[in-house]
């Protein structure tokens, strides 16, 4: 058995944050497929034995079980010393961006992409416009931040960067817009992270893609 197990599925940008971190730090890890689209996270069994919050990702490390991608990133950075913000100020700054991402970037892009590609029926146009507008406003803030430095906290990549990539490598046709082309600094930053050894696309890193017809 691998050292780490990650409950995840390929379409989940929330889970990708943790899967990407595990891969980039060279951890010995294996995915455990969560059958999200058939309702696994809503079952009593999942909530009682995997995550009471009914969410993926979940990281298992020995007797420890961690949920919330931000918590998982912090844990792995602390253990590996990689992507770890060094000073107390930097740790707080990374946490600030991770929360911003969870709420405003991934927090809007995730539901938008879900309603556009996977929900039956697809999302109401008014809801879609709202989510898109919120996501664009948040991406503009990230783009401005990245105009001054290669990574969110400066010269070195941290867990804040890995968190923010969550939904940003999925294909533009799943969104109906091209984030990397529309937000140039975000596009170059995504390329920098993509060039790191052991980077992998979410569809190659986690199980469940392509989805059965
Ligand atoms: N803030 C959480 C979000 C996790 C999350 O919402 N995951 C989705 C899958 S992409 C989920 O399991 N949703 C189930 C639900 O909300 O009922 C994180 O970053 O881990």
């Amino acid at each position: 058995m691998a050292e780490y197990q990650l409950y995840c599925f390929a379409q989940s940008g929330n889970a990708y944050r943790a899967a990407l971190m595990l891969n980039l730090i060279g951890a010995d890890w294996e995915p455990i497929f969560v059958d999200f689209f058939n309702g696994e996270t809503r079952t009593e069994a999942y909530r009682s034995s995997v995550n009471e919050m009914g969410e993926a990702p979940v990281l298992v490390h020995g007797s420890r079980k961690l949920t919330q991608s931000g918590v998982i990133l912090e844990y792995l950075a602390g253990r590996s010393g990689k992507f770890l913000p060094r000073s107390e100020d930097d740790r707080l700054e990374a946490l600030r961006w991770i929360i911003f991402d969870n709420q405003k970037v991934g927090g809007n892009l995730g539901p938008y992409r879900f309603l556009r590609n996977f929900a039956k029926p697809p999302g109401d146009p008014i809801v879609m416009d709202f989510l898109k507008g919120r996501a664009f406003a948040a991406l503009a803030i990230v783009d401005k931040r990245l105009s001054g430095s290669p990574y969110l906290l400066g010269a070195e990549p941290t867990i804040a960067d890995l968190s923010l990539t969550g939904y940003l490598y999925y294909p533009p046709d799943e969104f109906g817009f091209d984030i990397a082309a529309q937000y140039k600094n975000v596009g170059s930053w995504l390329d920098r992270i993509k060039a790191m050894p052991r980077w992998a696309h979410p569809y190659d890193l986690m199980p469940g893609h392509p989805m059965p017809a």
Side-chain angles (χ1 to χ4, degrees):
M1 193 201 268
E3 183 182 1
Y4 296 95
Q5 287 83 42
L6 183 71
Y7 285 82
C8 60
F9 58 99
Q11 294 77 14
S12 170
N14 291 307
Y16 179 60
R17 300 181 182 116
L20 180 62
M21 174 75 176
L22 285 162
N23 237 46
L24 291 178
I25 67 175
D28 173 28
W29 74 283
E30 63 192 354
I32 298 177
F33 176 61
V34 176
D35 197 357
F36 176 83
F37 294 105
N38 284 311
E40 185 177 344
T41 53
R42 291 193 293 275
T43 62
E44 185 46 41
Y46 190 88
R47 291 182 179 206
S48 61
S49 68
V50 182
N51 181 3
E52 66 185 333
M53 293 179 184
E55 294 180 339
V58 177
L59 181 76
V60 180
H61 186 214
S63 58
R64 197 171 247 145
K65 197 178 279 174
L66 297 174
T67 87
Q68 294 296 334
S69 57
V71 172
I72 296 169
L73 288 172
E74 168 69 22
Y75 179 70
L76 293 171
R79 285 190 64 83
S80 67
K82 295 177 181 160
F83 300 102
L84 180 70
R86 296 290 158 188
S87 65
E88 186 182 25
D89 281 349
D90 277 356
R91 289 184 89 140
L92 294 173
E93 186 63 6
L95 184 57
R96 195 166 80 95
W97 284 100
I98 288 171
I99 292 171
F100 182 77
D101 171 37
N102 273 238
Q103 189 188 0
K104 299 273 177 67
V105 182
N108 287 305
L109 282 176
Y112 178 86
R113 173 170 159 272
F114 174 80
L115 290 171
R116 192 172 190 275
N117 296 278
F118 308 118
K120 293 186 183 82
D124 184 299
I126 293 173
V127 174
M128 300 300 284
D129 277 354
F130 174 79
L131 292 172
K132 186 168 149 182
R134 299 283 290 171
F136 278 10
L139 285 165
I141 287 166
V142 175
D143 199 64
K144 185 166 177 220
R145 173 74 173 203
L146 289 170
S147 67
S149 61
Y151 298 101
L152 285 167
L153 269 66
E156 299 298 327
T158 68
I159 49 175
D161 298 282
L162 301 192
S163 180
L164 255 153
T165 65
Y167 281 88
L168 303 184
Y169 289 115
Y170 287 107
D173 65 355
E174 293 184 358
F175 295 100
F177 46 82
D178 187 340
I179 294 167
Q182 213 163 310
Y183 299 92
K184 300 284 182 210
N185 299 313
V186 169
S188 320
W189 163 84
L190 285 171
D191 286 344
R192 279 192 284 280
I193 295 173
K194 196 173 177 177
M196 291 177 186
R198 291 185 296 272
W199 178 91
H201 190 275
Y203 285 152
D204 298 324
L205 202 49
M206 300 182 289
H209 177 81
M211 281 169 59

